[in-house]
Amino acid sequence: MSDAEAVITSLKWDVRQRLTFLEATVFWTGELVTGFLTQTFAISRVQATKDIGLYLSLRPGNLRYDLSLKRYLITEQFLPLLISGLPQECLQVLQASRNSPPLLALVGNLPAVETVNPPARLVDIAVLKPVLQAARFGSLLEIGYQSMSTPEPARRLVQPKTLVFDGMRWHMRAYSLTHGEYRDFVLARIHSAVAAGKPDTPIPPDSRWERLLTVKIGPHPGLSDAQKRAVERDYGMVDGCHAVQVRAALLPYFLLASRIGADDLRRGAMAQQIVLLNRAELEPYIDFG
């Protein structure tokens, strides 16, 4: 064990968490502003400065302070101490923090838990880092993308907006200057990503992202009354309906995850179990053909 690792092992849990957050922020975004630590952890600026000083004592070559930008920047010789630096690690943190605080207290006396995960899609770190930075700073990327509708990868000029996990794979929601519209790009199918500066004109708003739709699901009409009641309990339905708000841009993924499509009413009731109740209302936002 190195001296730095020995110090890390002896640190209090909250200090170690802050240093881990500090390192991950620098690694994935390329920079760190002291105020980011104070806001995230509700600590004083003095404490944040101490944390940065402690980190620099452990990894002095990882950061450099830029006087003109008034922030710390990553160096070319950056060597992770507290994180793995693997894309899946970053994506798992993003997924966990979507609905929960990034720092969770450990709870004891809980039963064993096992999860079944589908095969992970491989994401290149050389792709994920520029995607995160472009989304963070509103810059453009030139990507090489392999669409399933084209025989060969094609170049696309995009401005990433946000990352989306659909339950199976990660997408990048981005405005495609190549197509003049917002599109979703599967991260694992992006072969290269190169910074391409700032857009010359403001990117238009993403109306489908901003629009919230109410999706209503109910038991399949072919089920027996007892089976319908069981499904209603499963989903917490009220009067045979469960309503959930979904962004219009994410509606296709929600329906796919719910196994709802054009044939949900025609499929066997036991296989389908739930159906879409307000199909006509949602048809403008999804192709059910």
Side-chain angles (χ1 to χ4, degrees):
M1 180 183 295
S2 67
D3 292 342
E5 291 171 334
V7 172
I8 288 296
T9 303
S10 68
L11 292 177
K12 292 183 179 179
W13 183 85
D14 58 335
V15 177
R16 179 167 180 160
Q17 292 302 307
R18 295 201 300 269
L19 295 189
T20 302
F21 181 81
L22 182 160
E23 182 173 85
T25 300
V26 173
F27 184 75
W28 291 107
T29 69
E31 66 171 38
L32 175 73
V33 180
T34 305
F36 193 41
L37 289 177
T38 64
Q39 294 170 12
T40 302
F41 295 100
I43 58 177
S44 68
R45 189 172 185 86
V46 172
Q47 182 60 61
T49 301
K50 287 182 179 179
D51 288 345
I52 296 173
L54 174 57
Y55 182 80
L56 285 172
S57 71
L58 301 171
R59 279 288 191 267
N62 278 6
L63 309 178
R64 66 176 181 87
Y65 188 75
D66 189 297
L67 288 172
S68 61
L69 296 176
K70 295 182 179 180
R71 62 194 61 193
Y72 293 89
L73 302 179
I74 193 171
T75 63
E76 292 184 0
Q77 62 266 32
F78 185 96
L79 180 63
L81 175 65
L82 295 151
I83 65 174
S84 70
L86 297 176
Q88 198 59 34
E89 176 188 54
C90 178
L91 294 175
Q92 287 172 348
V93 171
L94 291 175
Q95 183 181 351
S97 63
R98 171 60 181 86
N99 298 311
S100 305
L103 300 178
L104 300 175
L106 297 179
V107 180
N109 301 320
L110 292 179
V113 175
E114 187 63 59
T115 61
V116 177
N117 296 312
R121 308 294 178 101
L122 296 179
V123 178
D124 190 344
I125 190 172
V127 167
L128 184 57
K129 288 188 73 172
V131 165
L132 293 175
Q133 292 174 16
R136 168 72 174 81
F137 300 112
S139 45
L140 301 177
L141 284 182
E142 183 179 4
I143 63 173
Y145 189 71
Q146 177 62 70
S147 169
M148 296 302 288
S149 61
T150 57
E152 298 293 335
R155 309 302 296 180
R156 302 282 187 261
L157 184 62
V158 302
Q159 185 184 49
K161 289 296 184 178
T162 190
L163 296 184
V164 175
F165 183 67
D166 66 8
M168 292 290 289
R169 58 189 184 179
W170 283 90
H171 301 253
M172 172 183 71
R173 180 75 175 171
Y175 183 77
S176 172
L177 282 77
T178 303
H179 301 95
E181 63 183 11
Y182 281 92
R183 292 198 172 191
D184 295 337
F185 300 89
V186 179
L187 283 184
R189 294 182 186 156
I190 301 176
H191 300 294
S192 62
V194 179
K198 294 282 188 176
D200 295 329
T201 58
I203 298 299
D206 188 351
S207 59
R208 289 212 167 200
W209 182 265
E210 298 300 331
R211 182 179 295 275
L212 292 176
L213 304 175
T214 299
V215 181
K216 299 178 181 179
I217 60 173
H220 194 291
L223 294 173
S224 69
D225 288 344
Q227 290 169 335
K228 288 179 181 177
R229 288 194 295 270
V231 171
E232 289 172 357
R233 285 194 298 270
D234 284 348
Y235 292 89
M237 295 179 181
V238 177
D239 295 328
C241 175
H242 174 69
V244 59
Q245 282 198 321
V246 179
R247 294 185 187 275
L250 304 183
L251 179 60
Y253 305 123
F254 176 85
L255 296 178
L256 181 63
S258 303
R259 298 197 306 150
I260 293 176
D263 63 344
D264 55 350
L265 286 170
R266 298 192 297 271
R267 295 188 69 207
M270 288 297 293
Q272 181 63 38
Q273 297 192 10
I274 60 172
V275 296
L276 186 63
L277 299 179
N278 58 334
R279 180 181 302 267
E281 178 186 347
L282 300 178
E283 278 183 347
Y285 302 99
I286 180 65
D287 180 8
F288 290 102

